[in-house]
Each structure stands twice: as structure tokens, then as C-alpha cells.
Amino acid sequence: MSVYEVSLPGLGVVMGYMVVLWVVSLLLRNASIVDVFWGPGFIVAAGAYFALSDDGYEGRQLLVLALVVVWAVRLGGYILARNAGHGEDPRYRKWRETWSGPFWLRSLFQVFLLQGLILWVVSAPRLAAMNRAGPDSLIVTDLIGLAIWCVGFFFEAAGDWQLARFKSDPANEGKVMERGLWRFTRHPNYFGEATLWWGLFVIAAGTTDGWITVFSPVLMTFLLLRVSGVSLLERGMKQRRPEYQAYVERTSAFIPLPPKR
């Protein structure tokens, strides 16, 4: 099947998934469930591509599907555990109060369907890796991409775990996390996520015309740096914790580097 014959049904599956989540969010009165199920949404997209693609090399298809499942289950589980018992995220509560018009309708388009569209767009390397006809064996780009993905997964998972342990200690209340990986980058989890997306792109780039999906990791890196990740978090941190500025001055914002003296 052609890319279009696979990608367009994939879009329909992803949007259907997001509409179901939206309905559940209305029943729970909690739009922040979209954060928990963002990662697992990529399993839905990858599963659709796997089921519909009949031209790709099965070994590469299974490799990409396994990487997506491992990443998505860990991320979704982490966010679920982090948000448990805290109700709706303050961002969405604020939007309920400030948005004009009915929040239930606006959240469908500006929260759920928008994120579904982004999810579908940035899933392009998975589609390329699963659907392109060649090569019909694992090659060096698959191994390089897997290695890059493993580095990214380590930084994301270890960074989240270290931060969770730090926050669980009442003695650290109000303090800035600057231990472990956080000594070398202020956002090891975001760096890790961007890196693993680049790893998946490298796997896709080894297939026929897969390099054209470079827009996916570029877009995800931009979002993590400028929209929903680093810049958004740091604005709040600088306001709440004055000592954060000193941490900023000695620690790399994104790419891990030795801390400045």
C-alpha cells in the first residue's frame, strides 16, 4: 500500500482515539487525561501503520513498534503516577476559567484534536520505517538509530526517576533539583525525549525516501524547547524559586555539558 493509503486511515484512527479521550474527559471533568494518554496514542498510530503496511521489512516494523511501546508505556505510566490524586492540571483549570464560550467544545478542537493532529504528523518516521519497501533487512542506520534511541530513553527515564525521588523527600521542598543527570542539563528528560525521536528518524532515514520525515524530530525538538517544555517550565521556576537563576547560570539548558564553576 502507498504512504497515503496507510497515513490517511492512520489519521482517522488517531482522531477517533482522541475523540474517545475527549468524551472520557467530559465524564471525568478532567482535560489533563490527554497528557497521560499522549504517549500511548503513538502506540495506536504505530499499531495502525503496522496493521496496514504490507511492503515494509517485518524486522524493522517490529523493532519500531517495540521502541514505541516501551517509550509510550513508561511515559504514560509515569505521568499517571505523578498526576494521581491531584485532579485536573492547573493549566486546564485556568483555561476553563478564562476561555470564552463552552470549554467542552473548545477543548475538543484546541486540546484533543490539535494534539491528535500533532501526534499524527510527528509519527511520520514510524510510517516510513514500517511502510517503505526497502531495504529488506536491518542495516547500519537501524543500529545507529537504535543506539541514539537508547541514549534518549536513558536520559528521559533516568531524569524522570531522579526528579521523582528528589520530590518525594520532604526535606527537598522548595529546593532546586541539581543532582545526577540534572547537574549536566536542566532538562535531561526533555533532552532524552528529543534524542529518542531523532533515533527513530535515523531508523526511518535508512529506508527508501525516509529522510524526508526529518520534519518530525525538528518539530518535536522545537516544541520541547520553545512551546510546551523548557521555556514554559522555566518561566514558572524563575518566578517561584529565586535560587533557580544561579542554577541556570552554571548548568546547560538542554544538551548535557559539564557544569560551570
Side-chain angles (χ1 to χ4, degrees), residues 23-258:
V23 172
V24 174
S25 78
L26 298 182
L27 297 175
L28 298 177
R29 194 171 172 77
N30 186 350
S32 56
I33 65 169
V34 72
D35 298 334
V36 176
F37 290 97
W38 160 260
F42 287 94
I43 300 178
V44 173
Y49 297 153
F50 181 79
L52 294 170
S53 297
D54 53 12
D55 294 329
Y57 170 58
E58 187 175 7
R60 184 173 298 105
Q61 292 176 335
L62 292 173
L63 172 63
V64 171
L65 183 61
L67 296 181
V68 171
V69 169
V70 170
W71 168 77
V73 169
R74 189 215 68 87
L75 180 63
Y78 170 76
I79 297 176
L80 178 63
R82 185 189 66 185
N83 293 354
H86 296 289
E88 189 173 48
D89 186 283
R91 292 172 299 161
Y92 300 106
R93 290 203 300 266
K94 183 177 180 180
W95 290 348
R96 285 183 186 276
E97 298 168 358
T98 59
W99 274 358
S100 59
F103 177 81
W104 63 270
L105 181 60
R106 193 165 179 181
S107 69
L108 171 63
F109 292 97
Q110 290 192 229
V111 177
F112 290 88
L113 293 186
L114 176 59
Q115 292 204 36
L117 181 61
I118 294 173
L119 189 159
W120 175 71
V121 169
V122 298
S123 289
R126 295 147 181 81
L127 172 58
M130 290 185 171
N131 191 63
R132 305 311 291 170
D136 58 357
S137 63
L138 293 179
I139 58 176
V140 65
T141 51
D142 296 307
L143 301 180
I144 294 173
L146 175 60
I148 294 172
W149 184 93
C150 288
V151 170
F153 185 79
F154 167 75
F155 269 87
E156 183 179 49
D160 282 341
W161 177 73
Q162 290 173 352
L163 182 62
R165 285 194 63 193
F166 179 82
K167 288 184 174 181
S168 67
D169 186 348
N172 294 324
E173 180 68 29
K175 294 182 180 179
V176 174
M177 171 56 167
E178 48 183 321
R179 306 172 186 171
L181 296 177
W182 299 79
R183 291 184 62 240
F184 306 101
T185 166
R186 302 199 297 272
H187 303 281
N189 46 358
Y190 292 145
F191 167 77
E193 181 156 344
T195 301
L196 62 83
W197 283 85
W198 281 100
L200 288 169
F201 162 71
V202 171
I203 293 175
T207 64
T208 306
D209 297 329
W211 61 270
I212 64 175
T213 63
V214 67
F215 61 84
S216 169
V218 169
L219 176 59
M220 282 302 298
T221 303
F222 173 77
L223 292 174
L224 289 167
L225 280 171
R226 301 298 182 187
V227 181
S228 62
V230 173
S231 59
L232 178 65
L233 180 62
E234 293 212 331
R235 282 197 299 269
M237 290 292 290
K238 290 176 181 178
Q239 294 173 359
R240 298 193 304 269
R241 300 178 184 178
E243 67 273 21
Y244 192 76
Q245 184 58 42
Y247 176 59
V248 168
E249 292 173 358
R250 64 177 174 267
T251 310
S252 171
F254 196 65
I255 298 174
L257 295 170

